[in-house]
Amino acid sequence: MRKLIRTTAAAVALAAAIAIVPLPAHAIGYEDSLDDCSYPEAFDAAVMKPLGFTAMLLGAGGVALCTVSIVCPAVLNRDYPHFASIMVVPAAKFTFSRHIGQCGDDY
């Protein structure tokens, strides 16, 4: 009985040791993923463009709410036009200036 337990324990330990051994990683860095448009164009048209449009609307809504409040113009002061362009322009460029399936900063 002891031999069976020892054999089973040794087999489990060997299987665990083989499973734990790391395999060579084929990692893709963040910079490499910007050049790779691996998602289909249908996904870009059906998901990414509406998300960009939604982000643009939320940014414009945030700018509008900030404009009518008293706190934001007092806090932002001279940087308010820059703040407004940061909140809306990148999402608008992503949505309207970019062709379907295009990736990177080329738009």
Side-chain angles (χ1 to χ4, degrees), residues 60-81:
V63 168
L65 285 174
C66 195
T67 302
V68 298
S69 72
I70 297 172
V71 176
C72 284
V75 170
L76 294 173
N77 203 356
R78 293 175 296 155
D79 294 333
Y80 190 73

Side-chain angles (χ1 to χ4, degrees), residues 12-90:
V12 169
L14 180 63
I18 291 174
I20 292 175
V21 173
L23 297 174
H26 301 288
I28 295 176
Y30 174 71
E31 293 83 13
D32 297 335
S33 66
L34 292 177
D35 298 332
D36 181 28
C37 291
S38 60
Y39 56 86
E41 291 180 356
F43 177 77
D44 189 24
V47 176
M48 296 307 289
K49 291 277 189 172
L51 280 176
F53 186 72
T54 303
M56 184 189 67
L57 290 179
L58 288 173
V63 168
L65 285 174
C66 195
T67 302
V68 298
S69 72
I70 297 172
V71 176
C72 284
V75 170
L76 294 173
N77 203 356
R78 293 175 296 155
D79 294 333
Y80 190 73
H82 180 67
F83 167 73
S85 69
I86 293 281
M87 292 295 286
V88 178
V89 172

